[in-house]
Every structure is written in structure tokens, then in C-alpha cells.
Amino acid sequence: MLTNEILQAVKGYTANMQKAVTFVLQTGEHEKRAELVTFLRDISKQSEHIQLEERDTDGLLRSPISFLMQADGVDTGIRFSGIPSGHEFNSLILAILHASGTPLKLDDSVKKIIAGVEEELHFEVFISLSCHNCPDVVQSLNQFALLNPNISSEMIDGGHYQTMIKERDIQGVPSVYLNGELFANGKVDTAQLIDKLIQRAPPAALASSDQPSLPLQDVIIIGGGPAGASAAIYSARKGLKVTLIADRIGGQLKDTMGIENFISVTKTTGPELSGALQSHMNEYEITFKEFLRVTEVKGGDIKTVTLSSGEKIFTKTLIIATGANWRELGVPGEKENVGNGVAYCPHCDGPFFKGKDVAVVGGGNSGIEAALDLAGMVKSVNVFEFMPDLKADQVLVDKAMAKSNITIHKNVATKEITATNGKVSAIEYIDRATNTEHSLKLDGIFVQIGLIPNSVFLGDLVEKTRFGEVVINEKCQTSEAGIFACGDVTTVPYKQIIISMGEGSKASLSSFEYLMTEGDRLEELFYSENAEELAIAS
């Protein structure tokens, strides 16, 4: 299962382990147990600090293909039920490294929140080994377990626990349960998990809002996608004090699996490009506030940014690069059936509909790409497009038309999504040309109808269009002096990765130009107005 090349890489990763890690595997019989034993033994052979122990855990573990991890003989709270291969292999390796002493890449304020949780929390994460979003959730919860003995986390491969999948009516991953109750269904990220923990943490765990958590910044960038990363790199290269705040590095880019129009790169994936953005930013002095949300922004000469952790950061300039989220249909039966047949990520949830009939709503590039991706695993795909013609690139349309199991419906409006026994069973739609109503029986619906700008948190601070896009000029300037915006959150046409990167660099250069004339004045103003508070803090 593990190639020599992978095992050599594991040997390199584990060379500097500071603690001994033990895999404790539950005894018993299971058709996959021998494979798991070989898998764990191969890994343990790569380091003298890793051991495999097989014993009865007195109910601590779920089945004979479940194992927990100990660090220097102490239970870490990390469990795996199934064989963590595929996308989850990285989750296992990171768990080993973090348990053995490798520092966690979490902001100190986030660590404080997690460590402050006082109640017992047991997370179960149902995953698919083909899901590229699942590892983020598994890895985050594993880190939570390492930070707080009250927290435990179990990865459960749904492919080996079909009875549980049916009992809990799971049709989307990652599906997270907390203490036996559904906690998050379908798409979920680390920032959402931390938001939930903030609600459970005692007030003492939250940062004091009376003092800034950082010195005065030259520029704060909100958003970690292509636009935000580009802005951060350009700003750091100018020698500015830069902080980047993001719920996740990569943003929506992480949900895009096939990228073939990023100039000079023939083909890549969203997760790969997101990793490259992170690596590039790591080359510079950039302060990262990842997995946190901005709850409030105040304008004026000095801008104040408040985070979900309670921290406040002051800055001379601000760059908004928050991108956009998937747009919902807004029809009856959509929200009610998310995770029960309604999905937004074909790469994550497509495998749950193998051999079944599904629909894709949306005839743009994302919709046709989703249809092509699903066509390889489902029985049939019906594409529904509201307009008389498809908006996707012709090369994608040609590929879709060539697929025998893809049917395209144009000039139709989705009316309702119906369900039977808690599961999607049909889509109701209207032929706009004849105004006749139709019903098509199916098992799943993937919504791919575009994006909504992430600009609500700005309130009325800057001018926005009726669609929520931040209005900018040719220099990415907003209606508020010292605040710039770039990427999919703005009025710039054509929401493309390469355009967002260019806009991010432009916003950075514009903010630098602003600082060249206003920077000294703003710094003097800030320290004169806050001299007493800063003296007390020091």
C-alpha cells in the first residue's frame, strides 16, 4: 500500500521526533485488519520512536480497525477508525509529528480558546478518502485534542462503517458529530469549528479587547485566497508591517480540483495551488491570523479590526480580499436537504451518489465541470440552466455533449426540491419557453450557480453594489480613504484566479502609494492619541 518513496519521506519527516508515539490497535477480527496492521507496521519501521501495540482497549476503540495514539505513554485523544490512506494519510503523519512535539501552527489566541474549554467534547468525523476537504477538519480536531485533554477526535472512514452511515442518514462529508449529536453537516472548515468552540469557552479564554494584540500595522489584509495572498506578498516585499486574516488560506480556491487556465501551469488543483500560496507567503515576514473571522471594522484615519477571538488590531491601511461563497438557489427544499441529497461540492460528495441519478443546477464553467466530474461515477447527470444558452467555455460544453450520460436542459427554472423519507427524490422545474411544469426523479442535486461576495461584515463602511460587491476604481480604492479591495468581493469583472492575483498586487501597490504620503502622519497620530494606553501596556 505504501511505496518505498512514501516510506522514505516518512522517515525524513519523523527524524526529529521529541516524544515516543505508540499506535494502540484494538484486537479482534475484521476483513481489513491485516491490511491496517501492515500499514501501521510499515510506518512504525521508519522511526525508532514509533511503535505498534495490539491489545483490548476496554471499549475505548470502536472496532478491530480502530487505533488510538499515545505520546510518551499518554493518550492524545486522537483516534482513527479505518485505514487513513488517500487524502487522510497527511492527517495521520501530521498527528504523529504534532503528538511528538512539532509545534502546532495555530495562533496563540486560538490555542488559548481551545485550551480554555472545560467540558468533555468527543468529536466523530465521518470522511471519504476521496474528499479533499475532510483532512482539514480531521487535522484541526486532532490539534484541538492535543491542546486540551477534555477533547477527543475520531476519524471514521464511512466506507468501512456503512451501518453507521445508514443509521445516521449521512450523505455528505465531512459530517461532524459532537457527543453523539450532529455538529456540522456537509461543508465545514476550521474557522467554523473554532467559532463553535468560542461559544463554549469561558470568557477568560478570550483575548482582552482593551489592548491591541499587535503593534500598529501598515496594512491588514482580510482574506487568504489568490487576491489576499498576492496583496500580502507584494506588501511584505515593500518592507511593510503586514497581517493577513483569513478563515482558511486558499479560500474558495481549495474547493476547485481542476485548474487548467492558470497561465504557465498546464494543470494543477486548488489544494495544490493553495499550498503553493502558503509556501510563498512563508518566505516573508507576514503575521498570520488564520481560522479567525473579522467581526467588526471601524474606519477613520486609523482603522480598527476586531476578530472573533476578541483581539483588536490597528492599521494604517486595509485591503479587503474576502472573495465570495457559493450562491444558493433559494427554493423550497434546498436548505432542508443539505447533506441529504443537496450538495455544493461534487468532488467531496459525488462518491456518495455512485450509480445514482443526479442533477447539476448551473450551466457556467463550474456547473459543466461538475457535470463532467460526476459523469464518471454516477448513473446520469441532468444539467439545468436558467438562460437559453450555456455560459460555460465551449471546450467544456463540447466535452459534456459528448458524454452519453449527461443531459442538458436549457431555459429552465428550478422551482422546488422534493424529498421522500428525508432524502432528495426529485427536482421540480419550469420550462420557461412554454411555462409548463415538470418533475424529474433523482437522488441528488449539486448547486453550481455562482458566488455571493463576502462583504456583509463591512456594513456601510464602504460603498457596495446591490449585489454586495465592493465598489472600486482602477487602483482598487474604495469609497473610504485608506481602504482598498481586490478579487471576487469587488466590482472587477471576470472572477478568475489570475485576475484576482493581479488585483491583489494592484491593491497592495495602491496602499503603498497611499502610505508614502500619509504613513508618517498616521503613525504620529496613532501614538499621540494612544500614548497613555501604550505606556500602561508596556
Side-chain angles (χ1 to χ4, degrees):
M1 179 181 292
L2 297 175
T3 65
N4 288 331
E5 183 179 4
I6 291 175
L7 292 174
Q8 283 300 311
V10 172
K11 181 176 289 187
Y13 295 147
T14 57
N16 297 316
M17 291 176 61
Q18 300 171 26
K19 296 181 181 179
V21 170
T22 303
F23 301 135
V24 178
L25 177 63
Q26 174 63 41
T27 54
E29 299 294 327
H30 191 283
E31 60 180 358
K32 285 288 183 178
R33 193 171 190 281
E35 183 179 343
L36 177 57
V37 169
T38 300
F39 177 84
L40 295 177
R41 279 180 179 165
D42 286 345
I43 292 173
S44 63
K45 289 177 183 177
Q46 307 314 307
S47 172
E48 61 182 8
H49 298 294
I50 304 176
Q51 298 179 343
L52 171 61
E53 178 183 330
E54 300 179 58
R55 62 178 170 84
D56 182 6
T57 59
D58 295 323
L60 281 177
L61 293 173
R62 188 175 300 280
S63 78
I65 56 168
S66 299
F67 65 96
L68 59 82
M69 288 179 55
Q70 293 180 338
D72 282 349
V74 178
D75 188 355
T76 62
I78 296 174
R79 283 104 170 85
F80 292 90
S81 288
I83 304 173
S85 56
H87 287 303
E88 292 300 340
F89 184 69
N90 285 344
S91 299
L92 175 63
I93 299 303
L94 284 173
I96 294 170
L97 298 180
H98 289 149
S100 68
T102 299
L104 305 181
K105 292 184 178 180
L106 290 174
D107 187 80
D108 287 343
S109 62
V110 172
K111 291 179 182 178
K112 184 178 179 181
I113 291 167
I114 296 166
V117 175
E118 298 174 347
E119 61 180 304
E120 296 283 337
L121 304 178
H122 173 57
F123 289 97
E124 301 167 297
V125 189
F126 289 86
I127 61 96
S128 164
L129 295 178
S130 63
C131 168
H132 66 274
N133 285 325
C134 295
D136 286 345
V137 177
V138 172
Q139 291 162 24
S140 296
L141 290 175
N142 285 347
Q143 292 184 68
F144 295 177
L146 290 170
L147 285 167
N148 189 328
N150 293 322
I151 301 175
S152 63
S153 176
E154 179 184 10
M155 181 218 81
I156 303 174
D157 181 357
H160 297 314
Y161 294 89
Q162 286 298 309
T163 300
M164 291 182 67
I165 294 293
K166 292 178 181 177
E167 287 175 350
R168 304 197 190 190
D169 283 334
I170 295 173
Q171 278 196 333
V173 290
S175 190
V176 184
Y177 282 75
L178 172 58
N179 296 340
E181 299 293 330
L182 184 63
F183 182 74
N185 194 19
K187 193 172 180 297
V188 62
D189 58 35
T190 305
Q192 291 172 295
L193 296 173
I194 291 173
D195 274 349
K196 298 278 190 180
L197 289 181
I198 286 175
Q199 297 171 16
R200 294 172 177 269
L206 299 178
S208 170
S209 60
D210 296 331
Q211 299 295 338
S213 64
L214 291 172
L216 175 66
Q217 298 294 289
D218 292 313
V219 57
I220 286 178
I221 297 150
I222 306 177
S230 178
I233 291 168
Y234 265 69
S235 296
R237 286 176 62 84
K238 293 292 187 182
L240 303 176
K241 294 188 185 73
V242 183
T243 292
L244 184 141
I245 304 167
D247 53 4
R248 58 174 181 166
I249 301 300
Q252 287 286 21
L253 179 62
K254 289 191 112 175
D255 299 330
T256 305
M257 290 310 295
I259 300 173
E260 299 179 355
N261 59 353
F262 188 63
I263 308 306
S264 83
V265 179
T266 306
K267 187 174 183 179
T268 186
T269 68
E272 289 172 343
L273 188 51
S274 297
L277 292 178
Q278 179 74 78
S279 297
H280 197 171
M281 287 191 289
N282 288 343
E283 296 294 315
Y284 299 95
E285 291 188 19
I286 299 170
T287 299
F288 293 98
K289 292 287 183 179
E290 193 178 3
F291 310 131
L292 294 170
R293 290 182 300 103
V294 172
T295 58
E296 185 181 22
V297 178
K298 292 183 179 179
D301 286 325
I302 300 297
K303 285 74 178 155
T304 306
V305 177
T306 304
L307 307 184
S308 52
S309 62
E311 298 171 86
K312 284 188 177 180
I313 311 175
F314 299 108
T315 183
K316 301 172 189 175
T317 65
L318 183 66
I319 297 177
I320 308 300
T322 44
N325 278 325
W326 295 115
R327 184 182 299 276
E328 296 178 354
L329 283 169
V331 300
E334 180 184 16
K335 286 187 176 181
E336 297 90 333
N337 292 295
V338 171
N340 291 311
V342 173
Y344 299 87
C345 181
H347 312 291
C348 305
D349 300 332
F352 287 95
F353 298 89
K354 186 176 181 180
K356 296 182 179 181
D357 300 306
V358 303
V360 172
V361 181
N365 282 347
S366 60
I368 300 303
E369 286 172 354
L372 289 167
D373 185 40
L374 291 165
M377 63 186 88
V378 302
K379 182 180 178 182
S380 69
V381 183
N382 280 267
V383 177
F384 292 85
E385 166 56 38
F386 184 81
M387 300 301 290
D389 296 300
L390 298 177
K391 301 184 292 290
D393 294 342
Q394 192 60 45
V395 63
L396 295 173
V397 174
D398 291 343
K399 288 181 180 179
M401 297 293 286
K403 292 283 187 181
S404 60
N405 63 339
I406 295 180
T407 302
I408 297 175
H409 307 263
K410 293 182 284 188
N411 206 22
V412 296
T414 303
K415 179 185 176 184
E416 184 178 357
I417 296 168
T418 58
T420 303
N421 297 325
K423 300 294 180 184
V424 165
S425 56
I427 184 171
E428 311 290 333
Y429 66 97
I430 299 172
D431 185 322
R432 297 177 64 222
T434 63
N435 201 35
T436 55
E437 296 187 10
H438 302 268
S439 177
L440 179 67
K441 292 183 178 180
L442 41 70
D443 303 291
I445 296 172
F446 291 84
V447 181
Q448 301 279 293
I449 57 171
L451 303 167
I452 298 177
N454 294 319
S455 61
V456 173
F457 73 98
L458 293 170
D460 297 326
L461 180 62
V462 296
E463 181 185 357
K464 293 184 283 188
T465 69
R466 63 189 179 91
F467 302 109
E469 294 175 317
V470 176
V471 177
I472 59 171
N473 64 11
E474 70 279 1
K475 286 191 171 184
C476 296
Q477 295 168 326
T478 70
S479 58
E480 178 80 5
I483 298 182
F484 306 83
C486 52
D488 288 1
V489 73
T490 72
T491 50
V492 68
Y494 313 122
K495 314 302 186 186
Q496 298 289 308
I497 296 167
I498 198 165
I499 291 175
S500 290
M501 285 185 172
E503 290 292 301
S505 62
K506 191 198 297 183
S508 171
L509 294 172
S510 293
S511 70
F512 179 73
E513 185 178 69
Y514 176 83
L515 288 167
M516 290 293 287
T517 59
E518 297 290 330
D520 291 343
R521 179 185 70 83
L522 293 172
E523 184 139 354
E524 182 179 345
L525 176 66
F526 174 76
Y527 286 107
S528 64
E529 290 184 347
N530 297 276
E532 184 177 344
E533 290 83 354
L534 293 170
I536 293 173
S538 62

